[in-house]
Amino acid sequence: MAQHYQGQCHCGAVKFSLRTSLESALRCNCSLCKRKGAVMLTAEENSFELLQGEQALSLYQWNTQIAKHYFCKHCGIYTFHNPRSAPELTRVNAGCLEGVDPLSLTVSLVKGAELSTEPK
């Protein structure tokens, strides 16, 4: 069941809100996600809203340049991204959400490494 959540980076420069279900928790094994290790939740369509800190965000793209990964340029926390497989979606770092313990969630695996065209 989807609920409304507030989220922010570690230093509070970036703040956002969304509706999501905790049952949508996932990790990805692509070359970037396996290194960042974050549990991610998918925002319901049109529910993600950046409330503060657009100027504090740093964008990281590589390979096909379709996925957009956003990090706070002050504290370095990965906050959210738009995945290459569905760029219209927003996935957020569950660890950034108020009242959510990402370590307690049941997590599915997205096999992003199988979609990659980059060298392994």
Side-chain angles (χ1 to χ4, degrees):
M1 181 161 144
Q3 295 183 32
H4 185 262
Y5 292 95
Q6 299 287 320
Q8 69 176 39
C9 64
H10 189 257
C11 71
V14 177
K15 295 183 179 185
F16 54 90
S17 69
L18 71 148
R19 287 188 57 80
T20 190
S21 168
L22 298 182
E23 287 77 40
S24 73
L26 53 90
R27 285 187 191 265
C28 176
N29 68 353
C30 79
S31 63
L32 176 63
C33 291
K34 74 179 182 181
R35 286 171 174 83
K36 71 182 175 191
V39 173
M40 301 171 281
L41 293 166
T42 303
E44 284 193 339
E45 189 174 351
N46 299 317
S47 74
F48 179 85
E49 182 179 3
L50 181 61
L51 302 173
Q52 172 185 310
E54 184 173 0
Q55 70 286 352
L57 288 171
S58 182
L59 171 64
Y60 181 69
Q61 292 181 283
W62 85 103
N63 196 7
T64 63
Q65 304 290 304
I66 295 172
K68 295 179 179 180
H69 297 264
Y70 294 95
F71 300 80
C72 174
K73 63 183 172 184
H74 302 294
C75 65
I77 295 298
Y78 151 66
T79 51
F80 57 91
H81 78 282
N82 305 103
R84 176 176 59 178
S85 61
E88 71 281 2
L89 296 179
T90 302
R91 292 195 175 128
V92 302
N93 179 349
C96 291
L97 300 182
E98 294 174 18
V100 175
D101 176 7
L103 301 177
S104 70
L105 300 176
T106 301
V107 180
S108 299
L109 177 66
V110 171
K111 296 181 180 181
E114 293 177 7
L115 303 173
S116 183
T117 59
E118 62 187 298
K120 295 186 180 194

